[in-house]
């Protein structure tokens, strides 16, 4: 297995961790080549997560925009309301297979923490989640959810007290307990083999979508569009389509308050090559090479790095990356809610916002698949607040 995607990826971690990562890679390769493991993974995706998720033709949105046909891949209908559960179920089965008794994970807004706590409860594993103090205050409801699911939530008070520091802290704790503890990473980021493992457990999204579009339209789509935080829902949709050169792909990052301000999280648009969380990738940093604080209305896109495979796909020009502001995302959030009766996650609303710009410029026989990575119930309060302040 390649440790790199072009010049991106790798393992920029202490020696003790490299040893564990090598063991993890071996265990992962054995697992995915073991039919009984894959059968169990597919069983829980079907019976617990509720897959396959529908590929839904957004007829009213399409008509209103007057251009390309828009299909939504409904990851919002999964148990726990987003794509993250595909990965946590896969990794928890791997942890169990490796004989680990405990799982730890980082979380920002708490979405990955909730998905991890859910999967840990499913298999009776001890679970500890590390979350920045500021994020814990901002996301009380998710803290209660994790606790109700039986997880311990530990606050991280270092640095910016948000996601980037929670990751560093969790990696530090992992080193101390490496023998019996599995680190369950939440996006297609981190040192090898994590980006590959997360991609593997998320690529079900594209595997289903390619079959569904062929059944419904008898052809491949012209465009795929997905939002990019760390990049797991995007790589999950893209992977199966990558060999089909005629399918164009667009990843959508958070432009926050604007690309001309400091308040954004547009890593691939404005970042530079650098190392963060054990990988070489694109990073948002200042003139001295320090990681800069990032901002987005969407907690799930608020990350100063990005998955190394996306940095590579941008480098080789296979995927294009665009950025959408808070304002555009909120307007797309309201638009999809009103035209389709689907309240999207504010993260997914970034992908919808770009679709709203692109679709009217395309002919009516073109097809766009948008990954609706999650549902927006968690966001209604902050959208309401945003609209009141505006
Ligand atoms: C966490 C999250 C994201 C961003 O993470 P990726 O790894 O980039 O997919 C996007 N959408 C939703 C709904 C999320 O919860």
């Amino acid at each position: 297995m390649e440790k790199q995607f072009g010049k991106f990826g790798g393992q920029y971690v202490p020696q003790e961790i490299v040893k564990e990562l090598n063991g993890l890679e071996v265990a992962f390769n054995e697992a995915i080549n073991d039919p009984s493991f894959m059968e169990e993974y597919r069983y829980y995706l079907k019976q617990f997560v509720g897959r396959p998720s529908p590929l839904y033709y957004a007829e009213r949105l399409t008509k209103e925009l007057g251009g390309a046909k828009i299909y939504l891949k409904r990851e919002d209908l999964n148990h726990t309301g987003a794509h993250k559960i595909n990965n946590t179920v896969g990794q928890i089965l791997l942890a169990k297979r490796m004989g680990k008794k405990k799982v730890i994970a980082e979380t920002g807004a708490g979405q990955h923490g909730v998905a991890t706590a859910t999967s840990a409860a499913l298999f009776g594993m001890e679970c500890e989640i590390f979350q920045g103090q500021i994020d814990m205050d901002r996301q009380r409801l998710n803290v209660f959810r994790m606790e109700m699911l039986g997880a311990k939530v530990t606050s991280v008070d270092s640095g910016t007290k948000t996601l980037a520091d929670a990751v560093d802290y969790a990696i530090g704790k992992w080193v101390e307990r490496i023998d019996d503890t599995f680190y369950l990473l939440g996006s297609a980021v981190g040192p090898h083999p994590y980006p590959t493992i997360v991609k593997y457990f998320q690529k079900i999204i594209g595997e289903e979508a390619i079959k569904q579009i062929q059944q419904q339209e008898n052809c491949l789509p012209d465009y795929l569009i997905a939002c990019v935080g760390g990049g797991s829902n995007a790589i999950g949709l893209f992977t199966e389509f990558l060999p089909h050169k005629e399918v164009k792909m667009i990843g959508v990052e958070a432009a926050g308050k604007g690309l001309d301000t400091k308040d954004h999280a547009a890593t691939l648009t404005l970042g530079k090559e650098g190392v963060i969380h054990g990988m070489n990738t694109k990073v948002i940093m200042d003139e001295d090479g320090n990681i800069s604080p990032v901002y987005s209305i969407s907690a799930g896109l608020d990350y100063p790095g990005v998955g190394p495979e996306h940095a590579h796909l941008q480098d080789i020009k296979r995927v294009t990356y665009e950025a959408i502001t808070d304002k555009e995302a909120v307007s797309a959030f309201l638009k999809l809610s009103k035209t389709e009766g689907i309240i999207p996650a504010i993260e997914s609303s970034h992908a919808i916002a770009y679709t709203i710009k692109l679709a009217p410029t395309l002919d009516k026989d073109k097809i766009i698949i948008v990954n609706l990575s999650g549902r927006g119930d968690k966001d209604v309060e902050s959208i309401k607040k945003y609209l009141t302040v505006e």
Side-chain angles (χ1 to χ4, degrees), residues 228-229 252-259 262-270 284 293-296 298 301-306 323-324:
V228 176
V252 185
E253 304 188 296
K257 293 179 184 162
L259 293 178
K262 279 193 177 326
D263 295 325
H264 63 79
T267 314
L268 288 160
T269 311
L270 294 175
I284 298 181
V294 285
Y295 163 83
S296 164
S298 144
L301 303 185
D302 196 357
Y303 179 62
V306 66
I324 284 290

Side-chain angles (χ1 to χ4, degrees), residues 76 81-84 111-112 186-189 198 202 227-235 298-302 306 310 344-349 371-375 378-379:
D76 60 314
H83 67 293
K84 287 194 170 77
Q111 296 302 109
H112 175 56
S187 187
V189 299
V198 175
Q202 290 293 0
C227 66
V228 176
S232 70
N233 86 87
I235 207 70
S298 144
L301 303 185
D302 196 357
V306 66
H310 288 290
I346 187 65
E347 289 83 6
S348 325
S349 301
N371 207 11
L372 196 65
S373 54
R375 64 174 184 234
K378 66 184 179 57
D379 299 311

Side-chain angles (χ1 to χ4, degrees), residues 158-203:
S158 47
T160 57
K161 304 180 186 181
T162 57
L163 176 62
D165 298 283
V167 177
D168 287 327
Y169 193 82
I171 293 174
K173 286 287 162 197
W174 191 34
V175 178
E176 291 170 20
R177 312 174 195 167
I178 213 150
D179 291 333
D180 68 347
T181 301
F182 187 94
Y183 186 4
L184 207 163
L185 231 164
S187 187
V189 299
H192 175 79
Y194 278 107
T196 301
I197 292 178
V198 175
K199 169 171 71 171
Y200 189 86
F201 291 132
Q202 290 293 0
K203 73 184 170 66

Side-chain angles (χ1 to χ4, degrees), residues 127-143:
C127 177
E128 183 172 0
I129 305 292
F130 298 96
Q131 188 173 27
Q133 182 60 57
I134 291 181
D135 287 337
M136 276 181 79
D137 292 340
R138 282 195 291 209
Q139 306 285 342
R140 293 304 296 162
L141 206 59
N142 274 341
V143 175

Side-chain angles (χ1 to χ4, degrees), residues 20-92:
E20 184 68 15
L21 292 170
N22 291 341
L24 174 63
E25 180 175 353
V26 171
F28 168 69
N29 283 322
E30 281 172 6
I32 62 174
N33 286 301
D34 177 350
S36 70
F37 177 87
M38 291 310 293
E39 199 179 307
E40 207 180 359
Y41 171 60
R42 290 196 195 99
Y43 172 85
Y44 286 104
L45 285 187
K46 181 164 188 263
Q47 304 294 355
F48 186 69
V49 175
R51 304 203 70 89
S53 67
L55 183 68
Y56 176 72
Y57 173 41
E59 193 173 349
R60 287 198 64 216
L61 185 66
T62 298
K63 296 231 162 93
E64 209 171 299
L65 295 172
K69 275 182 111 166
I70 300 165
Y71 281 85
L72 306 174
K73 183 60 175 156
R74 300 288 309 273
E75 294 301 298
D76 60 314
L77 295 177
N78 294 339
H79 179 44
T80 70
H83 67 293
K84 287 194 170 77
I85 192 91
N86 303 325
N87 171 51
T88 58
V89 164
Q91 284 195 48
I92 211 98

Side-chain angles (χ1 to χ4, degrees), residues 56-62 335-342:
Y56 176 72
Y57 173 41
E59 193 173 349
R60 287 198 64 216
L61 185 66
T62 298
K335 181 96 176 160
L336 192 73
S337 302
K338 292 201 172 99
T339 53
E340 295 290 348
I342 297 169

